[in-house]
C-alpha cells in the first residue's frame, strides 16, 4: 500500500471538520495554554510559502500541549480594517467589504489546506460590527479615563472631576501642563471650559497635529504615502497642515511599559527595541530667555554638565516660537526655509546628510553666564521630540560640530586638550574645563553642580524625558472603525453621554460604518464619511442636529485587543466575561515577525494595562512569551540579456558580454536550469529570444532576496501541498533551519523530506505487497532505546522551539528502526504520537490503522522512561597513531586493563600495527582509544 498523501489528507481534513475535533471548551478545571499567531492581514495576493512558517511552529506547539493534557486555545482571525484593504479595493474597483470577504475566504482555504488545528468557531474579523462594537466600547473607556500619577494607574474621569471639585488641580497637573486652578475656579468654569480641561487628561483625547495634506488629492496622507516631498500616488506636492486628530495617551504609561519588560519572556533584542522606542532619558529641562522678548526656549538635555559649551540654539522649523522671535531682516529667509522643510517627512529629515539651517536673527540668554547665544532653525531638530529645541554644544556633539563648521559659528572648547578642533569630543571620561564654577570637575560632579544652580535660579529642573510619543488615532479614510463620538457646540461627547440626549438607536454601539459608493475625501481634509449627510448629521430628542466624528480609527485599533476577544468571541453583552479572562489570562506563547517589534506590541501592551487598571481584566501584560520567527526568503533566478539584443547568455558565460540581469519566474526553472520554451511563452517580448548555452543548457543566476511578486520568486504553498502534501510541507518548513533565523526557500530540497515520510510509511506497510507489517510482539531493548531516546529528544526540542532538530531526530529513528527491522506496535504507536504535531494527517491515518477509534489530537503525548536512556555500553573509535581504523564496543563498567587487552587482540588493530610493539595506549573513558606504535 503506497503512501497516497493526497487521499489521506483530504480524508482527515474532512473528519476533523465533521467531528469538530479542534473545538475549544472553556473548561476552567483543566490547565490552560494559550498559543497565538500575530493577527494576519488578508491581502489579495494570498499566502506564499514564507507566511505559514510561524503558523506551523505555533500549530506544532499547540498540538503538543493539547496531547500533554492542556486545554489549548489556538485561534485565528483577521486584521481586516485599514489602509491596505482600502487601497486594494480602490485598485481593483471594488468595495473593501467585498474584497476583504473574498480575501479572507481565500486565506482560510489556504490555511485549512496546511492542516492547522484552529477552532474556527472563535474566528474574529476586525471589520465585523459584532467585533468593532467592542473596539468602540474600549475607546469609550479610554475617553472616560485618565492616568493618576499618584497611584501609577488609570482611573475613571469621574474621580478626577471629584478631585477638581474638592481641591482643584494643584497636586494633579495635566501631562502636558495647563493652567492651575482652585476648586472654586473649577466650579466657575462653564461646560466648554471644563471639557477642554478634562481633554488635557483623558487617555483618548482630541488635539491638533501636523499631518501631510495633498491639495491635488484633497486628502490627508500617511507618512508612508509621501515620498521625496510628493504623494506616492500621482506625484503631487504635499505640505504639513495642522488638523484636529485623536490621540491615545500612551506616554503616561512610558515608565510602566519600560519596567514591565523585565518580567516578560521575550528575546533581549526585542526588549531592547522596545526600550529604545520608549527612549527614557534622565536629564534637565533648562529655560533660556530671549533677548528683547518675553519668550522663553525650553530645552531638554542629558548633558547639563556641558551648559557652558553652548554656542547656539536650534529650534525645529515648526516650533511655535520661530515666527514670533524672527527679526524682520531674517523673516524672508526663515519663511523660505520653513516652506522647504514642510515638504519633507521626518524620516527624510533624520536621514539627511546635507547640513541646512537658517538664522532667525534672535539671541537667547544663557541662564547662568547671561551671554547672548544665536538662535537658528534646522530640519535635524524635530518638534515632536523633546521640546523641539536643543542647546548646541559643538565641542561635544558631532552633529552640532558639523553645523557650526558649516555656518562658521565659533566653537567654545570645554574639554581642554581633548578637543582638537577637528571633531567633537564625545567620550564621557573627561574633566570639564573653561566652564566657570564647574571647571576642573568630572562630568558626574559638574552635572550635579549645574542642576543645583539652575534649580536655585529657577531656570531649570531635573526631569525625565521619553522618546515615545502619544499614538495618533485618527485616519481620514473610509475603511476603519467609526468613532462613537458626536459633537455638540464643537465639543466631543461619547454617544452614551446624557448631555447629547440622543435617541436610543443612536446612543447604542456599534456605530455602524455606512456603505459608500465612492471614497472621495470630504471637505477640508475630512474623511469620506463627511460626504454622507445621513451618517454625519444626527438629530437628538430635542430636535437639535448634531454632528458625528467623520474620521475613522487606525488599522491598529482592532489588533490592539483581539487576543482578549478570542476568549469569549460570541458574547453580546461583554467584550470578555471576567471569569474567562481570568482563566485564559495572558497569551502563553505569541508567535510573529520582528516587523511588529514596536507599534503593535506597544499598543497591545498599553491597551492591556489600561483595561487592567480599570478593573476589566486581572493581568497587565498581554504576551508572556514571544517567539519571533525568521523570514523565508525567495531564491530568485536571473537571465542575462545581451545589451541591445533579445539574446540571452547562460550565467557562466555572461562575463564575456555586456548584459542586463532580469528576474525570471522561478516556476520555469528547475534548480538553475531554465525551461527555455516556457520562458519564450512567458511574455510576447521573449517569443523570439535566442540563447547562448553551457553544455546544451541555459543556467540561470541565483540570489537570495525577499520573497516578492515583483521578483518572480514567490512560491505558492497550494502548489507544494498539491505536489508533496501538507505534512511534507509542514516538516520541510521546520527542517529548513532554526525557527528564529531567516533562510532561503528551495523547492528541490523538499524532496528529501518527502522521501523520509515514505520511508516512515514503510515501517507500517509493504508497498509492494500492500501488506500491513505491524505486529504485537514485544519490543527489544534496542528498539525501546531508540524510541525513548527519541521521545526525550522530541519533547525537549519542542519546548525549546528547536523544530529543525526534531525533524532530524525523526529521520534518525526511522533509519534506526529500519535497520532493526522493527514493525512492532509497542514502538510504532508512540512514534506516531510523537509525529502527530508535525505531520497530523499521516499520524491520524496510522493511528486509526493501529486500531484507535478517536482522533490522535486527543491522544497522550509519550513520556520517556529513564531506564532506556542509560547507556550500558559505549562504541569507541579506535585509532592507530592518531588515525581512525575501527570501532569497538565495551561495557560502560569495563576496566581499562581489560579494554586494552581486547583492543590489542583485535584483528583490525593487529593488521594496522604491522607486527610492531605498542608504546602506549591512550584511553579517554567514554570518548576514544589511541594505540601508539
Amino acid at each position: 500500500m503506497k503512501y497516497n498523501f493526497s487521499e489521506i489528507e483530504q480524508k482527515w481534513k474532512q473528519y476533523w471538520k465533521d467531528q469538530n475535533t479542534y473545538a475549544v471548551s472553556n473548561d476552567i478545571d483543566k490547565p490552560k495554554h494559550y498559543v497565538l499567531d500575530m493577527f494576519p492581514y488578508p491581502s489579495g495576493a494570498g499566502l506564499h510559502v514564507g507566511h505559514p512558517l510561524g503558523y506551523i511552529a505555533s500549530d506544532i506547539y499547540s498540538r503538543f500541549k493539547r496531547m500533554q493534557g492542556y486545554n489549548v486555545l489556538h485561534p485565528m482571525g483577521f486584521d481586516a480594517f485599514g489602509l491596505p484593504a482600502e487601497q486594494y479595493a480602490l485598485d481593483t474597483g471594488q468595495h473593501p467589504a467585498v474584497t476583504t470577504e473574498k480575501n479572507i475566504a481565500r486565506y482560510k482555504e489556504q490555511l485549512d489546506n496546511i492542516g492547522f488545528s484552529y477552532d474556527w468557531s472563535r474566528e474574529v474579523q476586525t471589520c465585523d460590527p459584532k467585533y468593532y462594537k467592542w473596539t468602540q466600547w474600549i475607546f469609550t473607556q479610554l475617553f472616560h479615563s485618565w492616568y493618576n500619577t499618584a497611584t501609577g494607574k488609570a482611573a475613571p474621569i469621574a474621580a478626577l472631576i471629584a478631585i477638581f471639585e474638592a481641591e482643584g488641580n494643584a497636586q494633579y497637573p495635566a501631562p502636558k501642563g495647563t493652567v492651575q486652578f482652585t476648586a472654586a475656579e473649577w466650579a466657575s468654569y462653564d461646560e466648554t471650559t471644563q471639557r477642554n480641561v478634562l481633554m488635557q487628561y483623558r487617555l483618548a483625547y482630541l488635539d491638533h497635529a501636523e499631518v501631510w495634506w495633498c491639495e491635488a488629492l484633497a486628502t490627508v496622507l500617511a507618512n508612508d504615502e509621501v515620498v521625496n516631498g510628493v504623494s506616492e500616488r500621482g506625484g503631487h506636492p504635499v505640505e504639513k497642515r495642522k488638523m484636529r486628530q485623536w490621540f491615545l495617551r500612551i506616554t503616561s504609561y512610558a515608565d510602566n511599559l519600560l519596567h514591565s519588560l523585565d518580567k516578560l519572556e521575550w528575546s533581549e533584542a526585542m526588549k531592547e527595541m522596545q526600550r529604545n522606542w520608549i527612549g527614557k532619558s534622565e536629564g534637565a529641562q533648562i529655560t533660556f530667555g530671549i533677548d528683547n522678548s518675553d519668550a522663553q526656549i525650553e530645552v531638554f538635555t542629558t548633558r547639563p554638565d556641558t551648559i557652558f559649551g553652548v554656542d547656539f540654539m536650534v529650534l525645529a522649523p515648526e516650533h511655535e516660537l520661530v515666527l514670533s522671535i524672527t527679526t524682520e531682516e531674517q523673516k524672508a529667509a526663515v519663511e523660505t526655509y520653513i516652506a522647504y522643510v514642510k515638504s519633507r517627512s521626518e524620516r527624510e529629515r533624520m536621514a539627511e546628510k546635507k547640513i541646512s539651517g537658517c538664522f532667525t536673527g534672535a539671541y537667547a540668554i544663557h541662564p547662568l553666564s547671561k551671554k547672548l547665544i544665536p538662535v537658528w532653525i534646522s530640519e535635524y531638530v524635530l518638534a515632536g521630540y523633546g521640546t523641539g529645541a536643543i542647546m548646541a554644544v559643538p565641542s561635544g556633539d558631532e552633529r552640532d560640530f558639523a553645523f557650526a563648521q558649516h555656518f562658521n559659528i565659533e566653537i567654545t572648547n570645554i574639554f581642554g586638550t581633548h578637543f582638537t578642533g577637528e571633531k567633537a569630543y564625545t567620550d564621557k571620561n573627561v574633566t570639564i574645563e573653561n566652564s566657570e564654577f564647574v571647571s576642573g570637575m568630572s562630568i558626574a560632579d559638574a552635572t550635579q553642580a549645574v542642576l543645583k544652580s539652575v534649580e536655585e535660579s529657577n531656570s531649570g529642573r531635573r526631569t525625565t524625558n521619553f522618546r515615545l510619543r502619544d499614538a495618533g488615532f485618527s485616519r481620514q479614510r473610509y475603511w476603519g472603525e467609526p468613532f462613537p463620538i458626536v459633537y455638540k457646540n464643537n465639543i466631543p461627547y461619547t454617544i452614551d453621554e446624557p448631555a447629547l440626549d440622543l435617541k436610543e438607536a443612536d446612543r447604542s454601539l456599534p456605530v455602524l460604518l455606512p456603505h459608500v459608493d465612492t471614497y472621495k475625501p470630504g471637505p477640508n481634509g475630512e474623511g469620506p464619511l463627511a460626504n454622507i449627510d445621513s451618517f454625519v448629521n444626527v438629530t437628538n430628542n430635542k430636535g437639535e442636529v448634531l454632528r458625528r466624528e467623520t474620521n475613522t480609527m487606525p488599522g491598529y485599533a482592532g489588533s490592539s485587543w483581539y487576543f482578549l476577544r478570542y476568549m469569549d468571541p460570541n458574547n453580546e453583552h461583554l467584550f470578555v466575561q471576567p471569569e474567562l479572562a481570568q482563566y485564559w489570562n495572558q497569551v502563553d506563547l505569541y508567535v510573529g515577525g520582528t516587523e511588529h517589534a514596536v507599534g503593535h506590541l506597544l499598543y497591545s501592551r498599553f491597551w492591556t494595562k489600561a483595561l487592567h487598571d480599570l478593573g476589566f481584566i486581572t493581568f497587565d501584560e498581554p504576551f508572556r512569551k514571544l517567539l519571533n520567527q525568521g523570514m523565508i526568503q525567495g531564491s530568485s533566478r536571473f537571465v542575462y540579456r545581451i545589451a541591445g539584443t533579445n539574446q540571452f547568455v547562460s550565467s557562466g558565460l555572461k562575463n564575456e558580454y555586456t548584459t542586463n540581469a532580469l528576474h525570471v519566474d522561478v516556476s520555469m526553472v528547475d534548480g538553475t536550469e531554465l525551461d527555455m520554451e516556457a520562458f519564450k511563452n512567458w511574455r510576447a517580448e521573449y517569443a523570439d529570444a535566442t540563447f547562448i548555452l553551457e553544455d546544451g543548457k541555459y543556467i540561470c543566476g541565483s540570489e537570495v532576496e525577499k520573497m516578492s511578486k515583483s521578483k518572480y520568486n514567490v512560491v505558492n504553498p497550494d502548489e507544494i501541498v498539491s505536489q508533496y502534501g501538507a505534512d511534507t510541507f509542514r516538516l520541510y518548513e521546520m527542517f529548513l533551519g532554526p525557527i528564529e533565523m531567516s533562510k532561503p526557500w528551495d523547492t528541490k530540497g523538499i524532496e528529501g523530506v518527502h522521501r523520509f515520510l515514505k520511508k516512515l510509511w514503510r515501517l507500517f506497510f509493504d508497498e509492494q505487497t500492500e501488506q500491513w507489517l505491524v505486529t504485537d510482539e514485544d519490543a527489544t531493548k534496542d528498539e525501546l532505546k531508540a524510541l525513548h531516546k527519541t521521545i526525550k529528544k522530541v519533547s525537549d526540542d519542542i519546548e525549546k522551539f528547536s523544530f529543525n532538530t526534531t525533524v532530524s531526530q525523526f529521520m534518525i529513528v526511522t533509519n534506526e528502526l529500519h535497520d532493526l527491522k522493527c514493525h512492532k506496535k509497542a514502538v510504532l504507536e508512540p512514534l506516531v504520537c510523537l509525529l502527530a504535531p508535525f505531520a497530523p494527517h499521516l499520524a491520524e491515518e496510522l493511528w486509526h490503522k493501529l486500531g484507535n477509534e478517536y482522533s490522535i489530537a486527543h491522544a497522550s503525548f509519550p513520556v520517556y522512561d529513564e531506564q532506556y536512556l542509560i547507556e550500558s555500553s559505549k562504541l569507541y573509535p579506535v585509532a592507530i597513531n592518531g588515525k581512525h581504523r575501527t570501532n569497538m564496543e565495551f561495557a560502560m563498567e569495563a576496566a581499562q586493563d581489560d579494554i586494552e587487552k581486547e583492543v590489542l587482540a583485535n584483528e583490525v588493530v593487529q593488521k594496522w600495527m604491522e607486527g610492531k610493539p605498542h608504546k602506549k595506549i591512550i584511553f579517554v573513558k567514554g570518548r576514544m582509544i589511541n594505540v601508539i606504535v
Side-chain angles (χ1 to χ4, degrees):
M1 185 175 181
K2 290 188 176 181
Y3 171 42
N4 187 337
F5 62 83
S6 180
E7 183 180 298
I8 288 170
E9 290 178 3
Q10 291 307 314
K11 169 185 174 182
W12 292 111
K13 283 185 181 73
Q14 191 60 49
Y15 171 88
W16 295 331
K17 184 177 180 180
D18 293 343
Q19 298 296 317
N20 208 12
T21 300
Y22 302 121
V24 180
S25 69
N26 293 319
D27 183 356
I28 61 176
D29 293 326
K30 288 182 69 176
K32 70 92 186 182
H33 209 85
Y34 189 176
V35 181
L36 185 61
D37 299 293
M38 287 190 183
F39 223 13
Y41 154 68
S43 73
L47 296 172
H48 62 58
V49 293
H51 292 126
L53 179 66
Y55 302 159
I56 295 171
S58 66
D59 194 62
I60 289 169
Y61 197 74
S62 297
R63 290 173 179 274
F64 169 63
K65 284 296 178 184
R66 187 181 294 112
M67 293 177 74
Q68 285 189 322
Y70 288 90
N71 190 18
V72 177
L73 180 56
H74 181 46
M76 178 54 77
F78 299 96
D79 190 10
F81 264 147
L83 183 59
E86 185 166 341
Q87 196 59 53
Y88 179 76
L90 282 168
D91 293 343
T92 58
Q94 304 173 75
H95 193 279
V98 174
T99 57
T100 298
E101 185 178 357
K102 287 181 182 176
N103 294 348
I104 287 175
R106 174 72 181 124
Y107 257 63
K108 290 177 70 171
E109 178 186 18
Q110 288 187 290
L111 291 170
D112 283 340
N113 203 27
I114 301 169
F116 293 117
S117 58
Y118 300 132
D119 178 359
W120 284 115
S121 71
R122 290 178 181 259
E123 175 190 357
V124 299
Q125 299 175 13
T126 55
C127 63
D128 183 346
K130 293 177 183 176
Y131 180 86
Y132 70 70
K133 164 186 177 177
W134 297 108
T135 306
Q136 294 170 341
W137 180 87
I138 295 173
F139 172 84
T140 301
Q141 308 313 306
L142 296 175
F143 179 84
H144 290 298
S145 301
W146 66 297
Y147 189 81
N148 186 340
T149 54
T151 61
K153 296 174 67 174
I157 204 80
L160 182 64
I161 294 172
I163 290 171
F164 290 168
E165 290 173 343
E167 57 185 87
N169 76 334
Q171 301 302 314
Y172 296 89
K176 295 182 180 179
T178 187
V179 179
Q180 280 195 16
F181 52 83
T182 65
E185 288 170 327
W186 170 260
S188 70
Y189 292 160
D190 61 18
E191 184 176 9
T192 299
T193 305
Q194 287 188 348
R195 299 281 297 196
N196 286 339
V197 169
L198 292 173
M199 193 63 77
Q200 304 304 310
Y201 290 83
R202 296 184 190 274
L203 289 182
Y205 67 95
L206 195 62
D207 201 354
H208 285 81
E210 286 195 328
V211 295
W212 288 112
W213 170 255
C214 180
E215 189 68 39
L217 298 175
T219 190
V220 171
L221 301 177
N223 281 330
D224 54 7
E225 294 177 287
V226 177
V227 180
N228 297 324
V230 297
S231 64
E232 185 179 37
R233 183 160 54 98
H236 303 294
V238 296
E239 65 175 358
K240 282 289 185 73
R241 181 181 288 187
K242 279 208 166 185
M243 295 184 66
R244 193 166 64 179
Q245 302 283 294
W246 285 97
F247 291 87
L248 299 184
R249 206 178 299 278
I250 191 173
T251 51
S252 292
Y253 278 88
D255 248 331
N256 192 322
L257 289 165
L258 195 61
H259 295 143
S260 195
L261 284 169
D262 294 337
K263 65 183 182 183
L264 300 177
E265 295 179 48
W266 295 11
S267 70
E268 196 53 41
M270 182 61 70
K271 289 182 181 180
E272 195 59 27
M273 291 172 78
Q274 292 246 318
R275 290 188 189 108
N276 290 339
W277 193 261
I278 295 167
K280 184 176 183 178
S281 304
E282 302 285 350
Q285 195 102 342
I286 299 177
T287 303
F288 289 74
I290 299 292
D291 193 35
N292 297 319
S293 171
D294 293 332
Q296 293 180 324
I297 298 174
E298 294 273 346
V299 301
F300 172 81
T301 178
T302 58
R303 293 291 303 275
D305 56 290
T306 65
I307 194 166
F308 290 104
V310 176
D311 289 314
F312 57 98
M313 310 287 291
V314 186
L315 305 186
E318 56 271 46
H319 193 289
E320 60 185 7
L321 288 180
V322 171
L323 294 179
S324 64
I325 66 173
T326 298
T327 62
E328 196 61 37
E329 294 80 7
Q330 290 298 113
K331 186 177 180 182
V334 166
E335 288 177 346
T336 299
Y337 186 74
I338 290 173
Y340 156 73
V341 173
K342 272 189 172 182
S343 68
R344 292 166 61 75
S345 69
E346 288 188 3
R347 193 176 303 162
E348 290 169 330
R349 287 167 62 175
M350 294 303 290
E352 182 60 74
K353 302 299 182 188
K354 182 181 175 183
I355 298 167
S356 69
C358 187
F359 178 44
T360 64
Y363 288 85
I365 304 170
H366 194 287
L368 299 180
S369 71
K370 305 304 178 186
K371 82 171 184 178
L372 297 181
I373 305 166
V375 181
W376 289 69
I377 60 172
S378 177
E379 65 175 332
Y380 80 87
V381 178
L382 303 175
Y385 288 89
T387 63
I390 66 165
M391 57 179 223
V393 182
S395 63
D397 181 272
E398 292 288 2
R399 204 155 192 177
D400 296 346
F401 178 82
F403 192 92
Q405 290 277 80
H406 184 81
F407 289 107
N408 295 315
I409 300 171
E410 186 176 346
I411 297 175
T412 301
N413 177 12
I414 59 169
F415 300 113
T417 57
H418 294 287
F419 176 68
T420 63
E422 294 181 2
K423 63 178 183 178
Y425 183 75
T426 57
D427 197 317
K428 294 185 179 180
N429 185 23
V430 68
T431 298
I432 300 297
E433 299 184 24
N434 192 24
S435 298
E436 296 191 9
F437 61 88
V438 296
S439 294
M441 292 185 182
S442 67
I443 286 179
D445 291 342
T447 295
Q448 295 306 313
V450 170
L451 285 170
K452 181 181 178 185
S453 182
V454 296
E455 286 176 335
E456 288 176 349
S457 62
N458 291 321
S459 56
R461 57 186 172 85
R462 301 165 197 263
T463 189
T464 301
N465 197 41
F466 293 92
R467 180 175 180 264
L468 182 67
R469 290 181 284 178
D470 284 340
F473 203 66
S474 291
R475 297 292 183 270
Q476 291 71 41
R477 297 288 182 176
Y478 167 69
W479 193 240
E481 299 91 342
F483 281 88
I485 292 290
V486 168
Y487 291 88
K488 180 180 180 181
N489 298 327
N490 211 32
I491 302 171
Y493 295 82
T494 56
I495 58 174
D496 59 340
E497 292 192 74
L500 293 179
D501 195 18
L502 294 180
K503 297 171 183 174
E504 178 63 33
D506 292 324
R507 64 171 180 263
S508 301
L509 295 175
V511 177
L512 293 172
L513 182 66
H515 181 86
V516 297
D517 295 316
T518 174
Y519 309 107
K520 180 182 176 182
N524 303 315
E526 292 186 84
L529 295 183
N531 296 319
I532 308 172
D533 289 342
S534 59
F535 173 81
V536 174
N537 299 320
V538 54
T539 304
N540 67 8
N541 288 318
K542 298 175 183 174
E544 298 170 316
V545 178
L546 309 178
R547 182 177 175 83
R548 289 190 190 276
E549 173 62 70
T550 58
N551 286 335
T552 52
M553 297 184 195
Y556 71 80
S559 62
S560 292
W561 72 281
Y562 73 108
F563 46 90
L564 297 171
R565 190 59 176 170
Y566 282 136
M567 301 174 183
D568 196 9
N570 301 308
N571 194 325
E572 296 181 5
H573 307 291
L574 297 168
F575 78 102
V576 60
Q577 187 178 329
E579 293 82 0
L580 295 180
Q582 172 67 20
Y583 173 61
W584 291 114
N585 214 272
Q586 288 178 292
V587 174
D588 295 289
L589 176 65
Y590 197 37
V591 182
T594 55
E595 65 272 18
H596 302 294
V598 177
H600 163 64
L601 291 174
L602 268 178
Y603 298 146
S604 296
R605 296 179 65 214
F606 163 61
W607 285 50
T608 302
K609 288 178 181 298
L611 290 169
H612 166 263
D613 289 352
L614 296 171
F616 296 114
I617 54 178
T618 56
F619 49 94
D620 70 344
E621 282 287 351
F623 315 120
R624 181 178 63 83
K625 190 179 189 72
L626 179 64
L627 176 65
N628 293 120
Q629 86 271 12
M631 182 185 297
I632 288 187
Q633 300 157 310
S635 184
S636 300
R637 296 294 181 263
F638 296 88
V639 293
Y640 302 93
R641 180 158 58 186
I642 298 174
T645 73
N646 207 21
Q647 189 171 35
F648 295 82
V649 60
S650 188
S651 177
L653 306 173
K654 69 178 185 298
N655 292 336
E656 300 174 19
Y657 304 85
T658 301
T659 63
N660 298 314
L662 305 172
H663 281 94
V664 64
D665 197 313
V666 293
S667 66
M668 58 184 71
V669 183
D670 182 10
T672 56
E673 184 182 349
L674 179 70
D675 182 333
M676 291 175 282
E677 284 305 311
F679 177 74
K680 292 169 74 171
N681 293 328
W682 186 32
R683 291 181 178 172
E685 62 183 295
Y686 301 143
D688 60 350
T690 58
F691 303 91
I692 300 175
L693 308 177
E694 297 176 68
D695 299 326
K697 298 177 181 179
Y698 188 97
I699 304 302
C700 294
S702 62
E703 185 176 329
V704 174
E705 303 179 286
K706 182 178 180 180
M707 197 168 280
S708 160
K709 285 195 298 182
S710 65
K711 301 181 190 302
Y712 303 106
N713 61 6
V714 168
V715 179
N716 189 327
D718 296 352
E719 297 171 5
I720 301 299
V721 170
S722 175
Q723 188 173 356
Y724 297 101
D727 288 334
T728 298
F729 175 66
R730 290 167 63 102
L731 282 163
Y732 182 58
E733 291 243 331
M734 296 298 98
F735 189 56
L736 282 171
I739 187 69
E740 68 276 7
M741 302 292 289
S742 292
K743 47 260 178 184
W745 174 268
D746 179 10
T747 299
K748 288 187 76 67
I750 202 171
E751 293 172 0
V753 174
H754 192 57
R755 285 195 298 272
F756 149 66
L757 282 182
K758 290 196 285 188
K759 187 171 186 177
L760 183 138
W761 178 263
R762 292 196 295 273
L763 289 171
F764 297 81
F765 288 98
D766 184 320
E767 289 190 326
Q768 303 302 319
T769 65
E770 298 192 357
Q771 179 185 356
W772 175 249
L773 300 175
V774 181
T775 71
D776 290 325
E777 296 175 34
D778 292 337
T780 66
K781 188 174 183 180
D782 284 342
E783 291 166 345
L784 290 172
K785 180 179 175 181
L787 170 65
H788 286 272
K789 183 174 64 178
T790 300
I791 294 172
K792 185 176 191 311
K793 175 70 172 169
V794 170
S795 301
D796 291 349
D797 283 359
I798 291 177
E799 288 288 10
K800 293 186 293 187
F801 311 110
S802 184
F803 302 117
N804 57 316
T805 56
T806 311
V807 178
S808 296
Q809 182 60 33
F810 283 135
M811 295 175 175
I812 291 168
V813 74
T814 298
N815 289 334
E816 288 178 345
L817 294 179
H818 270 285
D819 291 343
L820 293 167
K821 295 182 172 51
C822 175
H823 304 289
K824 296 165 184 173
K825 183 176 181 179
V827 173
L828 296 184
E829 189 169 77
L831 180 63
V832 169
C833 290
L834 293 178
L835 185 68
F838 292 81
H841 309 85
L842 174 59
E844 193 78 80
E845 175 75 8
L846 294 174
W847 176 252
H848 282 263
K849 291 288 186 186
L850 286 163
N852 297 288
E853 296 182 356
Y854 59 93
S855 173
I856 197 169
H858 304 306
S860 295
F861 201 80
V863 178
Y864 66 87
D865 188 332
E866 193 73 45
Q867 67 172 312
Y868 297 112
L869 303 180
I870 299 171
E871 296 287 351
S872 59
S873 63
K874 171 68 181 177
L875 188 68
Y876 283 87
V878 179
I880 312 297
N881 287 342
K883 290 188 176 180
H884 177 249
R885 298 302 187 187
T886 189
N887 297 311
M888 296 180 68
E889 188 167 4
F890 297 100
M892 294 295 289
E893 65 274 8
Q896 184 172 339
D897 288 346
D898 294 337
I899 290 174
E900 290 182 0
K901 288 175 184 177
E902 278 196 54
V903 168
L904 294 174
N906 182 272
E907 289 183 7
V908 176
V909 173
Q910 289 180 351
K911 171 189 168 184
W912 289 103
M913 288 177 66
E914 298 174 338
K916 300 173 185 176
H918 75 278
K919 293 180 179 179
K920 65 176 178 178
I921 297 177
I922 300 172
F923 174 72
V924 181
K925 188 172 179 62
R927 297 276 306 277
M928 52 79 73
I929 301 169
N930 187 12
V931 180
I932 307 298
V933 297

